[in-house]
Amino acid sequence: MHNIKEIRTDFDYFKNQLKSRNIDVDIDKIKELDETNRKYIQKKEALESEKKDISKSKDESLFKRSKEISKELETITNEQKQIKSELDKILSNIPNIPHKDVPIGDNENDNVEISKSGNIPSFDFKPKTHYELGEKLNMLDFDLATKTTGSRFVFVKDKLALLERALSNFMLDKHVLTNGYKEISPPLIASENTMYGTGQLPKFENDQFEIKFDENTDRKFLIPTAEVILTNIVKDKIVDLKQLPMRFVASTPCFRKEAGSYGKDTKGMIRQHQFYKVELVSIVEIDKCLDELERMTNCATGILDDLGLPYRKMILCSGDMGFSAEKTYDIEVWLPSENKYREISSCSSCSSFQATRMKTRYKNNNKETLHVGTLNGSGLAVGRTLIAVMENYQQSDGSIVIPEKLRPYMNNLEKISSN
RNA sequence: GGAGAGAUGGCUGAGCGGUUGAAAGCACCGGUCUUGAAAACCGGCAAAGGGGCAACUCUUUCCUGGGUUCGAAUCCCAGUCUCUCCGCCA
């Protein structure tokens, strides 16, 4: 959410900054609503002030006037509220402004590679896809999931289930023990307001699974990522400067409708309605955002280094970034069966964009009240890491060697094979 | 599901129709004292929004939304949430 006070200082500048995102803002409408809103506020405050004076004076001859004011106030307040909510509606649908470092571009083709790491494995046989491997091992079952649930779900069984759990535990341990994150086991359901805070609502309602509750309570949603619930830990708070930075990690299932991706990655478990992800969230002083982004990204790539998986680091172009981000690095892991890199982590700085929505502030040393900076990143997507391990560590006989760092998490199992 | 109790500033907690943006304590910040620290003492300390170049000033906010009243943190109604006891259950 953008601060109207800042927009007001230079409307055209604001409009231009969003052009790189292919967003065309109706700036005249915003300007007009803002001015009308403030006019109403002024009228309102004048009347309120008069009313206040009357009640202080306790002068009975003025009581009649006071009643009139109350009536006037009612209509003015209603109009003011309506204007304000119209303005807020427009503002809440405008994405964050890209940082200067971000390359200008339209879509994923304009993302820029920053670095490559690890050795791409060579096979003296044709590498199989993860779903071929998994089905042959009898440890991935898509048909069964279709029967019990529907498309884009999967049963992970036996040693692959163990591998999935091991990955999650390994990542958590690393982030907690060496990267300084605090482990959280959060609710997997978020309220409407929480979803608004991180920017999933109102614009992306179609991607969310809404939960039906019996009572007429607030709307509730399954979290599409732990980012939602972890970031909102500090919602509506003025946090103590000494508590910053705050770093949280959680391993949770994530639920996404994947609306609009019909026909994309329909085979295998690349794109599912439900998947596990280890998520990193940082709450920092506003001027520490970009440093924290580098740190966080290194925490994510550190996992891939440990697992011996080849990857590359990309910076997303302005047109490909998420709604709340000012700057995003994607980490892409090598998938032999596709002979290309696929996203396994996305780390973003959201500057004060989410904090403004959540009303999360802190006081700096000058006693100014500022919105915090928020960051989130996958460390890593567990489902996709499972795929990457399977494909990169596959053997000609269809078995899968376990990366050494994971073995302690798997009863020292060295290899997954049939039977 | 049945019966009660409550929701006030960063936290604890008073107030129960008018000078209460709100006592007191804690925390925090500044100062005195001290070789330094602690203690003690003195002082400061809410947020959001509007107006103003500024000094400054105005408005709103005591869970949310209505109502009564010239005037509501305080009275009435509805809702949300939390806690305690009983029942049920992982």
Side-chain angles (χ1 to χ4, degrees), chain A residues 82-108:
Chain A
Q82 203 198 318
I83 297 288
K84 183 65 169 43
S85 77
E86 202 178 326
L87 179 61
D88 283 344
K89 196 178 164 193
I90 292 173
L91 292 180
S92 61
N93 279 291
I94 297 173
N96 203 351
I97 287 169
H99 189 270
K100 331 186 234 322
D101 298 353
V102 172
I104 306 294
D106 292 333
N107 54 46
E108 68 211 53

Side-chain angles (χ1 to χ4, degrees), chain A residues 286-390:
Chain A
I286 191 64
D287 52 349
K288 303 264 169 68
C289 280
L290 293 185
D291 289 342
E292 185 69 13
L293 180 61
E294 298 301 322
R295 184 188 190 278
M296 178 180 274
T297 309
N298 288 335
C299 292
T301 55
I303 300 288
L304 290 167
D305 291 330
D306 283 353
L307 296 177
L309 294 169
Y311 63 91
R312 62 175 185 170
K313 178 175 164 186
M314 309 287 288
I315 181 166
L316 296 194
C317 73
S318 54
D320 199 31
M321 283 198 305
F323 184 74
S324 300
E326 62 159 346
K327 181 177 178 181
T328 299
Y329 292 119
D330 266 14
I331 312 300
E332 301 181 341
V333 71
W334 178 257
L335 287 191
S337 73
E338 298 192 16
N339 205 40
K340 65 178 181 192
Y341 291 97
R342 294 298 302 257
E343 178 187 338
I344 196 167
S345 169
S346 189
C347 300
S348 301
S349 164
C350 299
S351 56
S352 60
F353 188 83
Q354 294 179 322
T356 309
R357 291 175 160 248
M358 296 189 299
K359 300 182 174 60
T360 307
R361 293 144 293 166
Y362 69 104
K363 283 193 181 166
N364 67 8
N365 286 321
N366 296 328
K367 294 201 169 180
E368 296 165 304
T369 308
L370 301 172
H371 286 107
V372 298
T374 62
L375 297 95
N376 63 80
S378 355
L380 308 161
V382 176
R384 289 193 178 176
T385 312
L386 179 74
I387 293 172
V389 168
M390 288 172 73

Side-chain angles (χ1 to χ4, degrees), chain A residues 98-331:
Chain A
H99 189 270
K100 331 186 234 322
D101 298 353
V102 172
I104 306 294
D106 292 333
N107 54 46
E108 68 211 53
N109 298 319
D110 297 321
N111 296 341
V112 176
E113 184 180 302
I114 304 277
S115 63
K116 268 193 179 124
S117 192
N119 298 315
I120 290 174
S122 60
F123 297 96
D124 50 12
F125 58 93
K126 185 170 183 288
K128 294 187 180 64
T129 63
H130 68 278
Y131 49 88
E132 287 166 338
L133 291 162
E135 288 182 326
K136 203 168 168 198
L137 286 165
N138 214 1
M139 297 180 197
L140 284 185
D141 199 331
F142 296 93
D143 294 339
L144 181 56
T146 304
K147 187 172 84 174
T148 62
T149 309
S151 64
R152 290 205 193 280
F153 290 90
V154 66
F155 276 80
V156 181
K157 303 196 286 195
D158 204 352
K159 295 293 183 287
L160 279 186
L162 174 60
L163 175 56
E164 186 178 51
R165 177 155 57 93
L167 283 168
S168 187
N169 287 340
F170 167 69
M171 292 177 198
L172 278 173
D173 275 355
K174 172 108 182 182
H175 294 312
V176 170
L177 299 173
T178 73
N179 295 333
Y181 285 83
K182 182 194 268 189
E183 182 171 353
I184 310 278
S185 176
L188 305 179
I189 293 174
S191 68
E192 184 174 14
N193 183 261
T194 294
M195 295 284 279
Y196 174 84
T198 33
Q200 277 70 27
L201 295 180
K203 204 171 180 188
F204 305 100
E205 187 173 332
N206 287 341
D207 295 327
Q208 317 303 334
F209 283 108
E210 183 167 2
I211 299 287
K212 261 193 185 163
F213 270 60
D214 294 337
E215 310 292 328
N216 295 328
T217 50
D218 286 350
R219 299 172 72 193
K220 311 258 192 240
F221 299 83
L222 289 173
I223 55 170
T225 159
E227 167 203 342
V228 172
I229 206 89
L230 294 182
T231 309
N232 275 284
I233 286 175
V234 292
K235 180 171 74 160
D236 289 320
K237 275 193 92 148
I238 299 181
V239 298
D240 194 335
L241 181 60
K242 283 182 197 148
Q243 291 183 316
L244 300 178
M246 296 166 94
R247 299 190 176 103
F248 304 122
V249 60
S251 174
T252 70
C254 303
F255 304 92
R256 299 183 183 179
K257 277 197 182 166
E258 296 296 344
S261 56
Y262 303 111
K264 230 189 216 176
D265 302 313
T266 48
K267 280 220 147 182
M269 55 184 293
I270 284 267
R271 192 176 300 276
Q272 302 272 288
H273 287 312
Q274 176 192 324
F275 57 94
Y276 285 95
K277 182 155 61 71
V278 171
E279 182 75 1
L280 306 170
V281 161
S282 298
I283 313 294
V284 301
E285 291 172 65
I286 191 64
D287 52 349
K288 303 264 169 68
C289 280
L290 293 185
D291 289 342
E292 185 69 13
L293 180 61
E294 298 301 322
R295 184 188 190 278
M296 178 180 274
T297 309
N298 288 335
C299 292
T301 55
I303 300 288
L304 290 167
D305 291 330
D306 283 353
L307 296 177
L309 294 169
Y311 63 91
R312 62 175 185 170
K313 178 175 164 186
M314 309 287 288
I315 181 166
L316 296 194
C317 73
S318 54
D320 199 31
M321 283 198 305
F323 184 74
S324 300
E326 62 159 346
K327 181 177 178 181
T328 299
Y329 292 119
D330 266 14
I331 312 300

